């Protein structure tokens, strides 16, 4: 089925670029070049986002202040390091649809997932299970399994991996509901990777949270593939926690810092189990070094260390762009750009390709996972040689993610032309 009022032509793609309000942002990023000096068709921002040109200046500012001020930079840098993380909070909160008090930029993703599970996976003999999706990102699965073992339970019994129906790739919402209905009383924590990294399926956070809470479970999400991609509303949707990285859709550099959301309903619970460090302690008395731990009544209470300023500068640089554009505008273009990609790919014919990502825009972000019939990795190698940067998942899936900030309609069209050529010659 062909959807949308699109046309498969370069002229048409260029026309869409001309009409695009966000087109100017492309020039604010470095687009990697191929061997002949041409721009690559970079469709891998779901794996590592591109570098904003202004990021070097953000990092250099901190190097400069460190050079000139040494330790005094904690208080006297242009952007003092003591409260540095706070400069990012408002913009970060807007990206994920939360109150500022609910969000903190800290650590890296899997670390934050563990910190959240220490607080929200609190198994008892009657209620000790974790529900996740069966093709969860490996790190999330390892984190969940090790938490289960940490508490003396056995993952083969305590980890419920929800599988799609036979012959299907995505989970049906009604099957998630049924699983929660059936097993909810023994589930301590529901934790989904959202958006799913492999299929690109987005799970309705409000819905899953409501089902989970009605059974007394905690509900959290790994939003690595949703932050900066979907127009999230974490506060409204009411999940207990969320974590994400900032280096995929959020362009803050390889291994860049993560973020965490803790719903405000948990901020005043002094006896919540938590791994604690001095950066989570009341800022007014942090340097007295003698007081008993007094948590900051916000998500900041989960901070452990004073943060890596250089890495945080890169996050700040990126968040400035997101703040300027806003998620709703970004999402509007993303839906259209992804729709154009879908239209082009489907026009190649169902006997050649099939898109495993949901076709409903509400249930997906910027990524399409394309299953190529009868393909092996030579197709992927072919398109890579032609300048396409995408992601290959054995045995037959190419994941591509056009980014509304820096990908053009022309990029998407050129990808289609190269894929078509690859399919007809291999
Ligand atoms: C990218 C990604 C990770 C990677 O974790 P790091 O701790 O940043 O290395 C983990 N989980 C999910 C769902 C991801 O998409």
């Amino acid at each position: 089925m062909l959807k949308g009022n699109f046309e498969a032509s370069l002229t048409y793609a260029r026309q869409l670029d001309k009409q695009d309000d966000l087109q100017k942002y492309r020039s604010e990023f470095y687009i990697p070049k191929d061997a002949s000096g041409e721009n690559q068709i970079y469709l891998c921002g779901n794996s590592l986002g591109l570098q904003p040109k202004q990021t070097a200046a953000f990092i250099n500012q901190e190097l400069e202040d460190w050079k000139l001020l040494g330790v005094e930079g904690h208080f006297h840098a242009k952007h003092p390091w003591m409260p540095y993380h706070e400069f990012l909070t408002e913009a970060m909160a807007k990206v994920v649809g939360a109150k500022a008090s609910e969000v903190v930029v800290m650590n890296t993703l899997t670390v934050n997932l563990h910190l959240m599970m220490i607080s929200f996976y609190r198994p008892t003999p009657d209620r000790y299970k974790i529900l996740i999706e069966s093709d969860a990102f490996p790190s999330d699965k390892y984190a969940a399994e090790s938490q289960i073992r940490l508490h003396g339970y056995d993952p083969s019994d305590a980890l419920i991996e929800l599988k799609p129906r036979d012959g299907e790739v995505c989970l049906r919402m009604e099957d998630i509901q049924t699983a929660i209905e059936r097993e909810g009383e023994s589930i301590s924590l529901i934790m989904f990777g959202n958006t799913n990294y492999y299929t690109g399926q987005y799970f309705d956070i409000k819905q899953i949270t409501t089902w989970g809470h009605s059974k007394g479970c905690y509900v959290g999400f790994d939003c690595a593939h949703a932050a900066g991609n979907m127009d999230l509303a974490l506060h409204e949707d009411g999940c207990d926690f969320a974590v994400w990285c900032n280096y995929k859709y959020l362009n803050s550099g390889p291994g860049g810092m993560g973020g965490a959301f803790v719903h405000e309903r948990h901020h005043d619970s002094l006896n919540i189990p938590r791994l604690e460090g001095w950066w989570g302690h009341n800022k007014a008395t942090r340097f007295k070094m003698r007081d008993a731990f007094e948590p900051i009544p916000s998500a900041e209470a989960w901070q452990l260390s004073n943060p890596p300023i250089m890495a945080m500068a890169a996050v700040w640089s990126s968040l400035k762009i997101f703040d300027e554009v806003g998620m709703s505008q970004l999402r509007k273009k993303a839906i259209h750009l992804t729709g154009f990609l879908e239209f082009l790919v489907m026009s190649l014919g169902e006997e050649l390709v099939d898109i495993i990502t949901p076709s409903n825009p509400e249930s997906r972000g910027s990524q399409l996972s394309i299953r190529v019939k009868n393909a092996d990795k030579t197709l992927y190698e072919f398109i890579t040689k032609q300048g396409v940067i995408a992601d290959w998942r054995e045995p037959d899936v190419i994941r591509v993610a056009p980014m509304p900030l820096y990908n053009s309609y022309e990029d998407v069209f050129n990808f289609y032309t190269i894929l078509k050529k690859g399919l007809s010659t291999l």
Side-chain angles (χ1 to χ4, degrees), residues 108-111 137 139-140 193 195 197 222 224-225 245 247-248 256:
T108 47
L109 170 55
T110 307
V111 173
F137 195 91
S139 196
D140 298 31
T195 307
Y197 81 100
D222 181 338
H225 283 264
C245 56
Y247 55 77
K248 289 172 179 162

Side-chain angles (χ1 to χ4, degrees), residues 395-420:
D396 56 2
V397 169
I398 299 174
R399 297 186 309 161
V400 282
M403 291 296 136
L405 272 181
Y406 52 75
N407 282 121
S408 59
Y409 289 85
E410 186 171 340
D411 276 343
V412 166
F413 184 78
N414 290 339
F415 162 73
Y416 151 79
T417 314
I418 292 167
L419 181 65
K420 189 172 173 180

